[in-house]
Amino acid sequence: MEIPYTYKARPDTGLYNAKVGIWLFLASEIMLFGALFSAYILLRVSAPDGFWPDVALAWPRGLLNIPIGTFNTAVLITSSVTVVLAWAALKMNNFARFRWLMVVTVICAFAFLGIKSFEYNDKFSHYVVRLKDGKAVTGHLEVNGKHPGFWNFADQWSLGRLEAEKVEHIEIAVDPARDIHGHVKHVEGASHDHAKQKIATADIAFLGSYTPATHPFFAVYFLITALHGLHVLGGALVLAYFAFPGAKMWKTNPEQFTNRIEVGGLFWHFVDLVWIFLFPVVYLL
Amino acid sequence: MTSVLQLLGMPEAAANHAKGIDELILYVHLLMASLFVGWLGYFLYVIFRFRKGANPKADYVGARSHTSTYLEIGVAGVEAVLLIGLAVPLWAKAVDNPPKPEEKPVEVQVMAQQFAWAAHFPGVDNQWGKQDVKFADRSNPFGLDINGDPAAKDDVAVVTEAFLLPVNRPVIALISSMDVIHCFKVPSMRVTQDAIPGLSIPVHFTPNKIGDYTITCAQLCGNGHSAMRGFFKVVSQEDYDKWYTEKSKAGGGSFE
Amino acid sequence: MSEQSHNAAASHDDHDHDIASHIKTYLIIFGALLLGTVITVLMYYVDFSSMAVTVGVALFIASIKAFLVAAYFMHLMSEKKLVYSLLVISAIFFTGLMGLTLWGTHDTPKNTLMKTVYVP
Amino acid sequence: MQATDTHAHAHGQKGHSHDHHEPGFFSKYIFSTDHKVIGVQYGVASLIFLFFGFLLVLAMRFQLANPGKPIPVVGALLEKLLGSDMAPGGNLSGDLYNSFGAMHGTIMVFLAIVPILFGAFGNYVTPLQIGAPDMAFPRLNMASFHVYFIGGVVMFASFFTPGGTARSGWTSYSPLASVTDLANRFDGQTYWLIGMVFLITSSLLGSVNFIATIIQLRCRGMSWMRMPFFVWAQFVTAFLLLLAFPPLEAAGLMQLMDNLFGSSFFLPQGLVVNGTALAVSGGGSPLLWQHLFWFLGHPEVYVLILPAIGIVSEVIANNTRKPLWGYKSMVYSTMSVGFLSFIVWAHHMYLTGMGTKIATFFQTTTMMISIPSVIILTALFISLWGGSIRFNAASLFALSFLPMFGIGGLTGLPLGFNASDIYLHDSYYVIGHFHYVVAPGTMFAVFAGIYYWFPKITGRMMNETLGKLHWAGSLFFMNCVFAPMFIQGFKGMSRRMYDGGTTYFEGVDPTALSLNKMITMCAVGLGVAQLPFIINFFSSIFVGKKVSSDNPWDATTLEWATPTPPPHGNFASEPVAYRGPYEYSVPGAKSDFTPQSEKP
Ligand code: HEA
Ligand code: HEA
Ligand code: CUA
Ligand SMILES: [Cu+2]
């Protein structure tokens, strides 16, 4: 016996196997991201009041780059519409259109990841410095006149390292007061945005970049966006496979091929959906 | 009633609220035992009576009575009674009704660390000394600011030896931990409360028997978990007062 | 979809037409999603003074966008009952997880008498 | 259909000597996509893990009975293998004891019992019972096994990492899990987490596959209410795995971040470990881990018990020669258990500081969930009434499952009332409670299943005498091991005590300690009682009596309508279910069983 309903719908459920499978998988994904969102909310509501970085464990707001995030949202939405159009193209028997729409989708996916990786890098070289007198400042760090390199996750500065390497002072390009609610504040005396400020190591109580170790917010941010990024990557690879090597099936079994695109598309839309929530929750709130 | 449970090995209860807990344990076990014995009797009877040798031809329909439904409803009913009648009120009393100031409760902060228990009383001035994590270490688990805060001067902090509690006076213990999760468990007092870092959780009980008691740790906390014990003595009010003033006079949150 | 057809799409002309009208919907939704994104960002610059309102507005817009994606791109508008029941179940459990966890960490015994200064 | 028909027949013949594609060893046994081969792979792997889990606990039991004494023979070996800080002089150190305890729990639950019930029996039997040629996604099925296997290897490898395995219990509570080995970030706990991510992924793949298979591949006539109860149990179980595991996966990733990147998901501010302040940001919540863990943890225990009840139901229906009584109520109860099991989890957390409202909520749901359990068990009990009960190794195990699960389930009640849990929490009473459900409970169902389906899988019967010996020994020793634990619990003995409670009980209550000795001896006896089984198992594969027909137990369900062993593709021709699953002793029928596939 062969396995039935691999591409034809079973009469009583009205679905073919892979569609049942993908929806089940998405249900479990809802629980996965749901748990992460729950963790985010729990940690956030139990965070102390006040403004980060003035209060070390208050919840930071407005640290992420909104224009870039908005642009990335648009990129992902575009890819979502192209993938559904690609499926429609197959339905209309237009393979050529399917292929270029799929290519656009995959390009969008990698554009999204590329932009994201720039954002990550920005965070790794962004530091919060808390002084012994209780003041705090955030900005890009310069040590001995050098900026930390690209994707320097392994090459991070901490107070311990400054002391160990006997660095006497650091310079920091203070963040502009871009936040209209005014909760990223700078040390008094920094006259204009991105002004470089010299800080003596001896005055520093804490120094850390925007990495998971610095604040639970970053931990949540990196974990959820990285997991989402992995989904984007996996989805993009699968869609790329469908667009080229996997497209052979169009010749042998067009119906099953169309179904595959539908299933792949469902996953892709889900990834988009997660981002639709992720964007306001981590960028804007 | 107590004798039944003591037969099972439960230590003699030494706190006022223990009676309720013991009763609940007893009643639940009576329910369980009667169900188990009934079921087991039925079970043994059935497998004997309907063994193949005695009943070569099975009956397609099988049992026709509705006893089982009534039984299930009965079980649900008893559970509901135990739940509403005993468990919920007992719990509510335990967490929602701390002793009122008129009852002159003894207040103590209990701090767990790997692998010991420590207790902290406010001292004769009845003022808690200032505490900060930057002063905390193994010998000063409460992080008392001994040099900075006058109120801390007379605080009583007992780190390794037994501390004392007066008999028949409510105790409010604020349970916390400085490293990992421990669990403050005093079997004789029928008190158990996880000690969770970052939280301090109040429990209260009224010891009613003079004697020596042991705190065990009921939550895995590392390789010394089994040896993590604490001791306290329940003594008369006079003995307690004597000990308390002495300790408090010794001042500086005397650390053993 | 007819049982015999191997090329599902090609055989039906009216089907083609159907799909063509779908495409129009997809493009409209695309526009709506972009608009939604812009509104969300604009909302950010409005000070609602209350955090709850801000969160509510942001999530409301996100939910509309999510609805559009799910309903049209994922064809949930015309999906089978089975899929709905599946989604309802996971929605219930997700709500349970989030709600009970939050409730559980906030409903704690009252600490009335003692004010500790130091919680490690 | 035509082509595959002959194909299937050809495979069905014994000693087939085809000229066409004879699959090589690897594609036949390692990279097979056939659900039956995968089922057997799961079965073998998980039995080995079961045995390994037992060896771990045996070492622990020795330590509990003889604190301070080196383990004979094995102790020296452990010292060599794991280093003298772990097993000084052949003694278990506190750390090693905790390692073994954590790994015993993890291995038994995630690598032995769930894989054997869900992976092995589920894979082998479910498609056969619904008349399907295979799983809906055979390659996913294969991937599921491979991912499980990798998870097992990672867990196993962690024994040999510097610092040893995870040692914070199978529950891995933070902060303990994150601070045990501060110097070494890539420690046993990290391995544990990575292993868990693999195991969870495997379960997710498996559960998607099971649900899709049961929904889509039921053969003609196999309506929902004609499905054998075993299939229902697997169906609900798959849902539990599908929806409860992802939160643990999320939690695992968070703890991994805490371990590897120094984040503080579960670490509050101001931790002072070993007298030094921990250099983390803080701001996390230890309770968050517990919530996410138990959100899986509680459904997980029903993942252990539901398939077990499924197996027991099959065996009981077959050996009483009558239909299950109240089949429908059992199905609905199973669904309610499945649903409710998602909202009772915090009964493991009563003593973490819960207010009255939330505690009342959770203890009410806990009491509610016991009702459908009672209904299922009662239905099985009543099924015995009027039967013509055959006693063979399978049915003996299945029958003794009932009172054993009864004890385990009933002792769950005093734990479920939060006020009595105040006293019993984390004592040996809990250990006794859950071992009654998982050891004589679940394991007895596993044994029943093995004796019952062995002829279908291998074409040979297992030896009945050895089987009965195995049953008698297991029943006796299981009770001697776990019943005394209730007494110890009443006496106030906490669990996870490396010294067996000596520090606490010495000079106070010597019986508590002497019980330790007795339990340990019985645990050894329990091991010895498995010898007949192991001998039986291996010898029967080669010399067991050949089955006289495809249906040696005169059973009704579809798996017995296939050739023995079932060929690739399972059924010679598409099966049709004409009636319910347990049409035994139908009045007026020509024999005492009417198979589901028999034409009316
Ligand atoms: C298969 C596994 C399994 C099953 C089925 C259950 C079933 C139940 N469990 Fe158990 N439980 C565990 C595995 C399981 N448990 C484990 C592993 C732990 C510890 C985890 C850890 O901390 O490490 C635990 C811990 C645990 C606790 C936490 C204890 C503590 O830490 O303080 C609680 C509290 O409510 C509890 C309650 C229950 C209840 C009410 C049921 C109910 O569902 C039971 C319902 C069943 C019945 C009511 C029996 C009905 C049948 C009969 C009555 C028939 C009788 C028959 C004869 C006499 C012939 N369990
Ligand atoms: C499914 C789960 C399961 C099973 C089956 C078991 C089985 C057993 N367990 Fe386990 N146990 C747990 C889950 C389980 N346990 C968990 C979750 C914990 C808590 C861990 C923690 O604290 O974190 C625990 C803890 C625990 C403790 C407490 C440790 C402590 O708190 O300090 C003890 C103590 O005696 C114990 C004993 C036993 C014994 C004697 C068995 C026996 O029943 C074992 C019997 C098994 C055999 C005899 C093997 C038979 C082998 C075969 C049949 C293989 C044949 C092979 C081939 C044919 C290839 N267990
Ligand atoms: Cu402290 Cu266990
Ligand atoms: Cu539970």
Side-chain angles (χ1 to χ4, degrees):
Chain A
M1 272 171 75
E2 290 298 325
I3 298 170
Y5 313 121
T6 43
Y7 57 93
K8 289 233 171 15
R10 180 181 164 108
D12 61 351
T13 59
L15 301 166
Y16 52 90
N17 296 347
K19 197 151 167 184
V20 178
I22 191 73
W23 277 111
L24 287 165
F25 178 68
L26 294 184
S28 92
E29 293 275 90
I30 291 178
M31 297 306 290
L32 177 66
F33 282 100
L36 290 168
F37 274 106
S38 305
Y40 171 93
I41 290 177
L42 181 91
L43 293 180
R44 178 165 191 169
V45 297
S46 23
D49 292 337
F51 292 130
W52 190 86
D54 298 348
V55 177
L57 284 176
W59 207 256
R61 287 188 65 197
L63 293 186
L64 304 177
N65 190 329
I66 293 171
I68 288 190
T70 313
F71 181 71
N72 242 352
T73 310
V75 170
L76 216 53
I77 289 177
T78 310
S79 76
S80 210
V81 76
T82 52
V83 86
V84 72
L85 289 175
W87 170 78
L90 282 186
K91 280 277 187 196
M92 294 169 79
N93 226 352
N94 188 340
F95 184 79
R97 182 154 69 173
F98 154 78
R99 184 165 272 172
W100 76 255
L101 281 166
M102 218 51 166
V103 169
V104 173
T105 311
V106 175
I107 289 176
C108 282
F110 283 102
F112 178 86
L113 290 176
I115 295 171
K116 202 86 209 113
S117 98
F118 269 99
E119 271 190 276
Y120 271 25
N121 175 57
D122 186 50
K123 295 294 160 281
F124 297 154
S125 54
H126 223 126
Y127 279 73
V128 54
V129 183
R130 227 177 288 290
L131 304 182
K132 288 200 172 130
D133 62 5
K135 290 195 181 109
V137 64
T138 65
H140 283 276
L141 185 71
E142 230 173 80
V143 182
N144 296 337
K146 278 192 299 221
H147 292 286
F150 187 67
W151 266 80
N152 60 336
F153 190 70
D155 178 36
Q156 292 282 309
W157 285 98
S158 65
L159 187 55
R161 183 167 164 211
L162 287 179
E163 282 164 355
E165 299 187 11
K166 302 215 166 50
V167 180
E168 265 163 28
H169 54 75
I170 55 166
E171 272 187 289
I172 190 157
V174 179
D175 277 337
R178 66 180 136 80
D179 194 293
I180 52 146
H181 303 314
H183 38 239
V184 175
K185 294 190 275 186
H186 16 131
V187 176
E188 286 156 44
S191 51
H192 56 92
D193 293 347
H194 277 309
K196 277 205 191 138
Q197 187 165 352
K198 221 173 191 168
I199 299 174
T201 306
D203 292 340
I204 300 177
F206 170 85
L207 170 104
S209 64
Y210 288 7
T211 46
T214 300
H215 192 285
F217 167 75
F218 298 116
V220 173
Y221 164 75
F222 280 109
L223 180 57
I224 306 193
T225 53
L227 199 64
H228 176 262
L230 279 180
H231 279 73
V232 172
L233 183 64
L237 293 179
V238 170
L239 293 183
Y241 171 81
F242 285 159
F244 293 100
K248 281 201 300 284
M249 187 184 256
W250 175 249
K251 301 247 160 49
T252 53
N253 191 342
E255 198 176 343
Q256 186 166 11
F257 185 67
T258 313
N259 286 345
R260 283 198 169 174
I261 301 304
E262 185 181 13
V263 166
L266 283 173
F267 176 76
W268 196 250
H269 298 309
F270 177 79
V271 174
D272 185 27
L273 244 163
V274 171
W275 184 260
I276 285 180
F277 282 103
L278 204 50
F279 172 61
V281 168
V282 300
Y283 280 74
L284 302 180
L285 291 185
Chain B
M1 176 207 101
T2 29
S3 57
V4 181
L5 290 170
Q6 270 172 27
L7 213 67
L8 288 168
M10 273 172 80
E12 199 184 345
N16 283 349
H17 72 288
K19 190 161 165 288
I21 291 180
D22 288 1
E23 266 171 13
L24 178 61
I25 294 182
L26 185 69
Y27 296 149
V28 185
H29 279 84
L30 286 179
L31 168 72
M32 290 153 60
S34 55
L35 285 176
F36 185 73
V37 170
W39 259 314
L40 196 65
Y42 162 86
F43 178 65
L44 294 175
Y45 170 71
V46 167
I47 55 179
F48 179 73
R49 172 166 160 201
F50 294 105
R51 67 190 189 279
K52 192 172 181 198
N55 192 30
K57 182 92 188 76
D59 172 11
Y60 179 72
V61 180
R64 286 169 179 81
S65 89
H66 290 287
T67 331
S68 65
T69 318
Y70 303 135
L71 187 81
E72 280 147 13
I73 295 173
V75 174
V78 178
E79 280 181 6
V81 169
L82 290 177
L83 184 70
I84 299 165
L86 284 173
V88 175
L90 276 172
W91 190 264
K93 213 164 94 193
V95 300
D96 287 350
N97 299 321
K100 294 177 190 57
E102 308 87 85
E103 299 172 61
K104 296 231 167 55
V106 178
E107 295 172 26
V108 55
Q109 186 188 9
V110 175
M111 182 72 73
Q113 59 173 318
Q114 287 172 331
F115 300 95
W117 295 99
H120 170 208
F121 300 80
V124 281
D125 66 352
N126 228 0
Q127 292 267 320
W128 297 96
K130 193 165 157 268
Q131 292 170 286
D132 194 310
V133 63
K134 65 174 179 261
F135 305 116
D137 59 29
R138 284 191 85 77
S139 64
N140 184 3
F142 302 100
L144 273 171
D145 183 6
I146 304 156
N147 302 321
D149 181 19
K153 281 264 184 303
D154 68 342
D155 281 19
V156 178
V158 188
V159 180
T160 46
E161 64 169 36
F163 60 91
L164 267 55
L165 291 175
V167 70
N168 290 331
R169 239 177 92 188
V171 177
I172 303 182
L174 208 54
I175 315 286
S176 192
S177 161
M178 52 196 297
D179 39 37
V180 304
I181 301 179
H182 302 266
C183 184
F184 176 85
K185 179 164 184 171
V186 188
S188 310
M189 297 289 161
R190 310 292 189 263
V191 170
T192 311
Q193 173 58 54
D194 278 3
I196 299 175
L199 301 173
S200 63
I201 303 162
V203 291
H204 54 90
F205 56 98
T206 310
N208 58 16
K209 284 203 177 64
I210 289 180
D212 293 358
Y213 299 95
T214 312
I215 309 166
T216 64
C217 178
Q219 182 64 262
L220 181 64
C221 52
N223 54 15
H225 164 62
S226 61
M228 177 165 169
R229 284 177 310 160
F231 305 93
F232 65 90
K233 297 178 199 298
V234 173
V235 296
S236 66
Q237 183 69 43
E238 301 85 75
D239 290 353
Y240 173 74
D241 288 341
K242 203 164 131 253
W243 173 83
Y244 196 64
T245 25
E246 225 166 71
K247 279 279 170 197
S248 190
K249 283 235 183 65
S254 70
F255 296 107
E256 268 65 32
Chain C
M1 213 171 288
S2 102
E3 276 287 305
Q4 285 79 28
S5 139
H6 264 277
N7 194 333
S11 50
H12 300 291
D13 284 26
D14 51 9
H15 204 92
D16 266 12
H17 182 73
D18 231 29
I19 292 292
S21 79
H22 277 187
I23 291 180
K24 210 190 239 145
T25 327
Y26 297 149
L27 291 174
I28 295 173
I29 304 292
F30 179 46
L33 288 173
L34 290 181
L35 189 69
T37 310
V38 173
I39 295 179
T40 320
V41 175
L42 290 180
M43 283 300 165
Y44 173 68
Y45 294 100
V46 181
D47 196 343
F48 287 103
S49 68
S50 141
M51 193 63 199
V53 178
T54 318
V55 174
V57 170
L59 289 186
F60 180 67
I61 301 175
S63 308
I64 292 179
K65 287 165 70 185
F67 169 77
L68 291 177
V69 172
Y72 294 98
F73 289 178
M74 300 171 90
H75 308 132
L76 267 185
M77 276 307 239
S78 53
E79 200 41 277
K80 301 290 175 295
K81 222 171 69 213
L82 186 75
V83 175
Y84 289 136
S85 28
L86 196 65
L87 290 176
V88 168
I89 294 175
S90 53
I92 292 175
F93 290 153
F94 166 51
T95 321
L97 171 64
M98 174 116 83
L100 292 173
T101 304
L102 279 173
W103 187 17
T105 38
H106 285 266
D107 183 12
T108 49
K110 303 284 164 304
N111 176 9
T112 45
L113 282 180
M114 205 166 9
K115 285 190 288 299
T116 23
V117 236
Y118 158 57
V119 171
Chain D
M1 204 73 241
Q2 279 308 328
T4 38
D5 248 347
T6 45
H7 180 82
H9 272 304
H11 271 280
Q13 251 97 63
K14 298 274 159 52
H16 42 153
S17 55
H18 334 235
D19 33 22
H20 74 273
H21 67 286
E22 175 73 351
F25 173 82
F26 277 100
S27 57
K28 198 165 165 201
Y29 295 111
I30 309 287
F31 294 103
S32 172
T33 55
D34 186 333
H35 72 98
K36 298 182 292 298
V37 179
I38 295 171
V40 172
Q41 287 173 330
Y42 261 117
V44 172
S46 48
L47 277 177
I48 292 171
F49 277 119
L50 181 68
F51 191 66
F52 185 56
F54 175 61
L55 293 184
L56 290 178
V57 90
L58 216 53
M60 291 161 66
R61 286 285 358 154
F62 186 88
Q63 166 69 28
L64 292 178
N66 312 291
K69 289 211 193 100
I71 308 176
V73 191
V74 181
L77 198 71
L78 285 176
E79 192 175 8
K80 276 229 175 59
L81 271 176
L82 304 172
S84 55
D85 50 335
M86 273 297 179
N91 261 308
L92 295 192
S93 65
D95 275 332
L96 192 60
Y97 181 88
N98 290 345
S99 293
F100 279 13
M103 293 316 275
H104 164 72
T106 307
I107 286 176
M108 284 301 201
V109 172
F110 297 112
L111 285 159
I113 300 293
V114 173
I116 203 170
L117 285 170
F118 189 69
F121 287 118
N123 250 314
Y124 200 99
V125 178
T126 310
L128 292 173
Q129 282 196 334
I130 59 172
D134 202 322
M135 286 293 209
F137 312 112
R139 258 178 297 167
L140 214 59
N141 205 12
M142 176 181 78
S144 158
F145 174 74
H146 287 158
V147 174
Y148 155 77
F149 194 79
I150 296 173
V153 170
V154 172
M155 288 285 182
F156 191 79
S158 74
F159 276 93
F160 303 100
T161 54
T165 58
R167 53 183 104 124
S168 311
W170 79 294
T171 47
S172 279
Y173 279 5
S174 272
L176 180 61
S178 299
V179 304
T180 30
D181 200 347
L182 285 169
N184 181 7
R185 283 303 191 181
F186 219 99
D187 58 355
Q189 186 63 30
T190 307
Y191 274 86
W192 187 89
L193 290 165
I194 294 172
M196 282 309 287
V197 169
F198 278 105
L199 295 178
I200 293 170
T201 309
S202 155
S203 293
L204 289 179
L205 296 178
S207 51
V208 167
N209 213 344
F210 271 70
I211 300 174
T213 305
I214 294 172
I215 290 178
Q216 292 287 99
L217 301 194
R218 280 169 292 125
C219 68
R220 218 145 37 84
M222 182 62 75
S223 61
W224 289 102
M225 284 301 159
R226 281 186 188 167
M227 288 194 327
F229 184 69
F230 177 79
V231 178
W232 269 111
Q234 293 286 345
F235 188 62
V236 176
T237 303
F239 267 103
L240 299 185
L241 288 173
L242 184 78
L243 299 175
F245 251 138
L248 183 66
E249 185 148 29
L253 292 174
M254 289 187 236
Q255 204 176 68
L256 209 55
M257 296 270 287
D258 280 4
N259 278 9
L260 292 180
F261 301 117
S263 63
S264 300
F265 281 106
F266 305 123
L267 308 177
Q269 200 183 15
L271 289 179
V272 181
V273 177
N274 249 328
T276 40
L278 210 59
V280 295
S281 70
S285 158
L287 285 183
L288 175 60
W289 167 266
Q290 296 194 16
H291 279 292
L292 295 176
F293 181 89
W294 290 115
F295 186 82
L296 160 88
H298 191 85
E300 180 72 14
V301 308
Y302 289 95
V303 168
L304 293 168
I305 209 68
L306 288 179
I309 295 179
I311 295 175
V312 166
S313 311
E314 295 300 302
V315 176
I316 283 188
N318 177 261
N319 286 299
T320 53
R321 316 303 300 159
K322 62 182 285 299
L324 285 182
W325 190 90
Y327 166 85
K328 277 204 176 140
S329 69
M330 285 173 73
V331 169
Y332 293 129
S333 300
T334 308
M335 286 197 253
S336 350
V337 166
F339 183 82
L340 286 170
S341 70
F342 281 93
I343 48 170
V344 303
W345 79 82
H347 65 207
H348 298 269
M349 299 167 59
Y350 285 142
L351 296 157
T352 55
M354 273 196 179
T356 309
K357 293 192 213 70
I358 184 82
T360 304
F361 175 86
F362 278 111
Q363 64 174 334
T364 309
T365 51
T366 302
M367 288 306 126
M368 275 160 65
I369 203 173
S370 69
I371 301 301
S373 310
V374 169
I375 294 179
I376 297 175
L377 262 282
T378 310
L380 285 174
F381 271 132
I382 299 180
S383 297
L384 302 175
W385 187 273
S388 169
I389 306 172
R390 300 191 299 213
F391 296 103
N392 46 40
S395 78
L396 285 171
F397 270 116
L399 287 173
S400 20
F401 169 90
L402 301 175
M404 295 298 103
F405 176 70
I407 298 177
L410 289 173
T411 49
L413 300 180
L415 300 173
F417 289 116
N418 51 17
S420 41
D421 192 47
I422 292 179
Y423 183 70
L424 298 170
H425 176 65
D426 265 357
S427 69
Y428 262 78
Y429 194 94
V430 176
I431 303 281
H433 152 65
F434 74 77
H435 277 90
Y436 259 101
V437 263
V438 297
T442 305
M443 275 176 63
F444 278 12
V446 166
F447 291 137
I450 293 179
Y451 286 107
Y452 184 63
W453 279 303
F454 193 86
K456 179 90 285 179
I457 298 170
T458 60
R460 290 173 191 269
M461 309 292 286
M462 284 178 88
N463 182 302
E464 275 297 317
T465 320
L466 285 174
K468 284 182 180 143
L469 204 64
H470 174 212
W471 166 75
S474 298
L475 184 63
F476 177 76
F477 285 116
M478 279 288 187
N479 283 289
C480 295
V481 170
F482 296 116
M485 291 186 182
F486 294 124
I487 312 277
Q488 290 185 318
F490 273 127
K491 287 181 185 300
M493 187 191 282
S494 293
R495 55 192 286 205
R496 295 161 166 177
M497 286 282 170
Y498 138 80
D499 64 356
T502 314
T503 329
Y504 184 73
F505 284 108
E506 193 138 61
V508 181
D509 191 344
T511 32
L513 299 177
S514 60
L515 282 177
N516 268 340
K517 289 207 169 29
M518 176 205 150
I519 295 175
T520 300
M521 274 174 326
C522 293
V524 175
L526 181 61
V528 175
Q530 307 306 312
L531 288 181
F533 170 72
I534 296 175
I535 296 169
N536 197 353
F537 187 86
F538 287 109
S539 65
S540 299
I541 294 179
F542 304 107
V543 300
K545 195 168 93 222
K546 286 234 167 84
V547 287
S548 46
S549 78
D550 285 338
N551 188 0
W553 306 116
D554 293 342
T556 51
T557 41
L558 284 181
E559 77 268 33
W560 304 102
T562 61
T564 305
H568 194 78
N570 294 344
F571 293 90
S573 61
E574 199 186 321
V576 182
Y578 294 103
R579 54 180 64 74
Y582 306 114
E583 293 299 289
Y584 290 103
S585 303
V586 183
K590 56 186 187 309
S591 70
D592 77 341
F593 68 106
T594 321
Q596 272 189 293
S597 57
E598 193 173 289
K599 285 214 173 64

